[in-house]
Amino acid sequence: EDQVTQSPEALRLQEGESSSLNCSYTVSGLRGLFWYRQDPGKGPEFLFTLYSAGEEKEKERLKATLTKKESFLHITAPKPEDSATYLCAVQARGTGNQFYFGTGTSLTVIP
Amino acid sequence: NAGVTQTPKFHILKIGQSMTLQCTQDMNHNYMYWYRQDPGMGLKLIYYSVGAGITDKGEVPNGYNVSRSTTEDFPLRLELAAPSQTSVYFCASTQVTGELFFGEGSRLTVL
């Protein structure tokens, strides 16, 4: 069964304190791995897509990386406005374009 | 550009009542999805559609129905509402494969 597990469930950082969020997955043939940001009361907003092991994507203070079993979302020198829930999703081959989501990591950045 | 629009944003339903959550997108996307999001449970796929006239069940379809008569619209019907259907419902769309575009969500309470 295809599964996506995110850790930690919650993370509190001081402003400027870098850290990483983890997304581990077990799918039979990865088609793509996606990172989303979700603010309270809003729909998820797309951040990155990764397709193959070794791939990296960057956007401002965020950097996503991918291995054969997991992905990391690195947050460098976070600011309070980075506080949000970060969701990971995978799309597996042969699943009719379905996306499977993890339960998310709730990030709080304290000024 | 409106993107994905969901209505209503909030609704309270009595047990046994029925209602339809509306979703429309203006990006000419073929793929549309309905997810529900419960605290600590992540996003669970209810139904999805790969084009007008084609729908398929996701992980948690029981108690719901969908139709896709046009490319733009993908309504979700709740029949005989139960308290277990209290949740936040998100509609999303994408083109072929790639990032999902989400609506703002419909917050449903069944009492």
Side-chain angles (χ1 to χ4, degrees):
Chain A
E1 181 181 313
D2 298 333
Q3 285 194 343
V4 181
T5 304
Q6 290 188 247
S7 61
E9 287 185 15
L11 182 63
R12 289 172 64 89
L13 300 173
Q14 290 292 137
E15 184 172 1
E17 179 188 2
S18 301
S19 188
S20 296
L21 313 182
N22 178 264
C23 172
S24 62
Y25 62 91
T26 54
V27 295
S28 51
L30 181 70
R31 196 172 179 184
L33 185 141
F34 305 82
W35 282 98
Y36 292 84
R37 170 190 171 126
Q38 186 175 23
D39 293 303
K42 301 287 187 181
E45 183 180 336
F46 171 76
L47 291 173
F48 302 109
T49 307
L50 301 166
Y51 293 106
S52 56
E55 191 174 359
E56 299 182 352
K57 295 275 181 72
E58 282 190 73
K59 181 180 179 180
E60 297 180 354
R61 295 176 293 282
L62 300 176
K63 178 179 172 181
T65 61
L66 181 66
T67 72
K68 288 186 177 180
K69 292 185 177 181
E70 58 191 349
S71 176
F72 292 94
L73 185 64
H74 307 277
I75 303 176
T76 302
K79 298 182 178 182
E81 53 262 43
D82 294 322
S83 296
T85 295
Y86 292 85
L87 299 169
C88 168
V90 298
Q91 189 180 32
R93 298 185 190 281
T95 60
N97 224 53
Q98 294 186 53
F99 297 81
Y100 298 95
F101 281 82
T103 53
T105 293
S106 175
L107 174 66
T108 303
V109 182
I110 304 160
Chain B
N1 219 356
V4 178
T5 303
Q6 292 183 236
T7 57
K9 286 186 168 45
F10 302 91
H11 195 78
I12 298 174
L13 203 58
K14 292 184 179 179
I15 294 172
Q17 289 184 329
S18 300
M19 78 164 298
T20 299
L21 302 180
Q22 301 291 343
C23 175
T24 187
Q25 53 93 5
D26 62 359
M27 297 172 283
N28 202 33
H29 286 167
N30 287 323
Y31 296 84
M32 295 188 74
Y33 306 79
W34 273 106
Y35 288 91
R36 59 176 289 171
Q37 187 175 41
D38 301 300
M41 297 296 291
L43 287 158
K44 297 296 184 184
L45 181 64
I46 305 171
Y47 271 95
Y48 68 104
S49 169
V50 301
I54 307 169
T55 62
D56 209 345
K57 296 178 181 179
E59 302 168 89
V60 291
N62 292 342
Y64 307 94
N65 273 302
V66 294
S67 60
R68 183 96 183 270
S69 57
T70 67
T71 299
E72 294 79 20
D73 300 307
F74 190 41
L76 178 71
R77 178 85 177 160
L78 282 74
E79 304 282 1
L80 299 175
S84 60
Q85 293 179 302
T86 294
S87 188
V88 181
Y89 293 85
F90 287 101
C91 179
S93 72
T94 188
Q95 186 64 299
V96 186
T97 181
E99 68 266 28
L100 289 167
F101 293 82
F102 284 86
E104 293 286 280
S106 295
R107 286 147 185 82
L108 179 67
T109 301
V110 181
L111 298 174

